[in-house]
Amino acid sequence: MGTSAFKTVRGMRDFLPEQAKLMKYIEGKARRVAELYGYKEIITPIVEPYELLSAKAGEEVRSRMFVFKDLGGRDVALRPEFTASVARLVATTLKNEPKPFRLFCVGSIYRYDEPQKGRYREFWQSNYELMGSDKPEADAEILMLTNSLMKTAGLKKYCFKIGHVGILRGILSEEKLDDRAQNAILQLMDKKLYEDALRLVEHSGASKNCLTTLRNLVKLKGSKTLEVVERIKEHVEGYTKAMDAAENLYEILKLILESRCEVDMNVEAGFARGLEYYTGMIVEPSVPELDIALGGGGRYDRLIELFGGEPTPAVGIAHGIDRIMLALQLQKGMEEAEEEKTVMVIPVKEALKGEALKTSQVLRDVGISAEVEVMGRKVAKALEDADRRKMDYAVIIGERELKEGAVVIRNLLKREQKTVKIEKMAETIKGRQRS
Ligand code: AMP
């Protein structure tokens, strides 16, 4: 096969400079939010044991993992999320460290999803985990930092969908449905296949009362968050665990209101998420322009134990950087970053190439981005090229000027040029705008 036939693997993308810049911009915002909230960055492997990644991921994610045997015959997979890796660390290496842990990671994630807008097989997440606290203020913090990220990234309108898996699981467990049956029902609910989910509940031998309660709950939603939770409580009367869960959700939402974290929220009693490890509050931020979530998270109090660690309650969230990029483009929210000046350094003849390299270094040393003409082009051609690429300045190195310790600086937009002493070069360039 000729090399001309090569293209990226389905679902994998190249990021050209403009997209790469946007992605790194959002990554930078995510890292800044981590710093502001005291989350320390860690870096975990992209390849992990299949057993670890599949333990509690849920059927949906498990069936979409990139799994293979490495050359040593180990069953490994590309990470389909960060949480399992972070939980592994806390269960092992960090197990004797004082709690709470606030940990942040950012990087690529792999899932064999059907490629479409906002859905790829390689995508990027920023991930925050708060481990060691079972208190509602920890859940509230995860919501607040997500709000900070959405806001500082530049999104103008977004909303959080909030629920609590303890409500549905509380009812189902009191009806003696085991974890497997519960997981299957919640998977269907996650896909909004409520009728199928209810049918499964019915077939599992649940009571009439349970079915009626669930039927009422899946219809319950609204933006007056505390009121919706009050109504949930009325419906789950008699189911003790579900009542505790609703009370917990109430406390979290009350803390959010008290914190003055201004964010549109929608409570949905029938909201479920595909990952199996959640035990409490769950959340998905979204924007009106996209019908897919920008992130997903929640409380998972038993995962670390499952990996052999001390019982460690935890709450966390992952944000889809690719989807935040899409949302920003749709909302035209990218703040106009102060464009850096760009300079092309051009020697007028071969013998001055070394001087051109030296001058470019002088510029970079004071923080100016400089490129050197490397194609051996004549000045006129090199200027034409710098202009085509919308660079701001050309610094032309000529023999006569050099003898006087000077260079020619050409403002490419204004098409003006003047001879400037080398000591004044940076000042001249920094002090001027292209437009
Ligand atoms: P999840 O935990 O599955 O809800 O994933 C968390 C977030 O990761 C989602 O809300 C998306 O923003 C992002 N995400 C998940 N799957 C994909 C995908 N196939 N392509 C792009 N982003 C994704």
Side-chain angles (χ1 to χ4, degrees), residues 52 54-57 91 277 301-311:
L52 172 94
S54 63
K56 237 5 189 163
Y277 50 63
D301 284 347
R302 288 195 285 276
L303 191 61
I304 295 157
E305 235 172 305
L306 186 89
F307 293 160
E310 293 289 307

Side-chain angles (χ1 to χ4, degrees), residues 111 113 118-120 123 125 273 275 293-296 318-320 323:
R111 291 186 196 170
D113 280 338
R119 203 179 292 281
Y120 317 99
F123 57 96
Q125 283 185 344
R273 281 180 43 73
L275 294 162
L294 298 192
H319 308 110
R323 293 198 187 160

Side-chain angles (χ1 to χ4, degrees), residues 11 13 60-61 80-81 83 109-126 190 273-275 277-278 283-285 292-297 317-324:
R13 296 155 295 158
E60 177 71 18
V61 169
E81 51 144 2
T83 305
I109 296 290
Y110 301 83
R111 291 186 196 170
Y112 205 79
D113 280 338
E114 199 44 41
Q116 52 195 283
K117 185 173 168 189
R119 203 179 292 281
Y120 317 99
R121 290 182 178 170
E122 179 184 56
F123 57 96
W124 274 257
Q125 283 185 344
S126 59
D190 179 35
R273 281 180 43 73
L275 294 162
Y277 50 63
Y278 291 113
V283 58
E284 282 183 358
I292 41 180
L294 298 192
I317 190 158
H319 308 110
I321 294 185
D322 312 74
R323 293 198 187 160
I324 297 177

Side-chain angles (χ1 to χ4, degrees), residues 404-417:
E404 289 157 26
V407 292
V408 172
I409 296 186
R410 183 175 175 85
N411 182 321
L412 292 168
L413 187 74
K414 294 189 179 162
R415 297 176 184 283
E416 293 168 358
Q417 64 184 49

Side-chain angles (χ1 to χ4, degrees), residues 333-389:
M334 257 291 269
E335 65 189 48
E336 279 301 320
E338 166 83 22
E339 279 292 317
E340 258 196 66
K341 302 283 163 44
T342 51
V343 178
M344 175 60 84
V345 184
I346 310 165
V348 300
K349 60 180 200 187
E350 285 263 328
L352 295 172
K353 282 198 284 197
E355 286 294 339
L357 289 173
K358 184 169 125 197
T359 308
S360 68
Q361 206 48 45
V362 171
L363 290 166
R364 291 180 200 122
D365 285 347
V366 294
I368 295 171
S369 156
E371 289 176 34
V372 180
E373 164 58 38
V374 289
M375 304 295 283
R377 285 182 281 224
K378 294 240 167 1
V379 176
K381 278 273 175 236
L383 283 174
E384 225 172 76
D385 183 59
D387 210 33
R388 178 183 65 78
R389 294 198 294 127

